[in-house]
Amino acid sequence: MGYAKEPVQKPTEYLKAHEKEPKLPEPQKTGRVNQPAKPSVPHPVKDRPLLGVKTNKNFISQNAVDTIMAVPRKPEKNFVDTRKGDKFKLEPSGLEPVYVKKKTFGTVPTYLIERNEERAKFKAEYEAYMQEYFKKGAMRTMSDGERDAILQGLKQNWDDLHHAFQSLSVSIDTLPKKMKKEKLESEMKALEKDIDLLQRHQLIYIAD
């Protein structure tokens, strides 16, 4: 591995100072590329501004007129919440009723109006379809009077059963008492189910 005998440099090829330091590339010229130069400085004699030019404008009266005709600026709404007088804007703080002062406050949104119209249209189409269907099948819709009368009758029956249930003995120690209690409870639950059915559904169809 390697040389059998290490080659020796000549005496004239001795190591000089900074010889082993890395050599950097030559620096490139920097500056603007394809950019126009800035305009030259004005000449002190040729470009001297005109002196002694006067105007007839009355700046005092003009300022007075501008001040009188100017629209007054609205004062900024602030609130102070510390003893040191720290001020904060009132509108973004939530203390100022901004939303209720809007022009659209209190009006029904457009999407709700459209939704209600679609719902009313669908309901009318459904009622027309059901009426046509029931005419073919000889069915009719229960009127409000019939519905109220049935509800009153069911509630009266429930009151009677509830009164009988309240009249039961406190101690249910025999089989007949237990059977009577269970019968009253089942009849009351059935009446409650029928009452809930009539109250939840506004349209009830009856087959004649």
Side-chain angles (χ1 to χ4, degrees), residues 19 21 33 49 112 114 167 184 191 196 201 206:
E19 187 175 357
E21 292 181 358
V33 180
L112 287 180
E114 295 176 353
S167 302
L184 290 174
L191 288 174
D196 181 65
H201 300 283
I206 304 172

Side-chain angles (χ1 to χ4, degrees), residues 84-95:
K84 297 181 180 180
D86 297 332
K87 292 192 302 182
F88 301 95
K89 292 185 178 181
L90 184 61
E91 291 185 359
S93 65
L95 301 175

Side-chain angles (χ1 to χ4, degrees), residues 41-49:
V41 180
H43 196 271
V45 178
K46 296 181 180 180
D47 299 331
R48 182 179 296 177

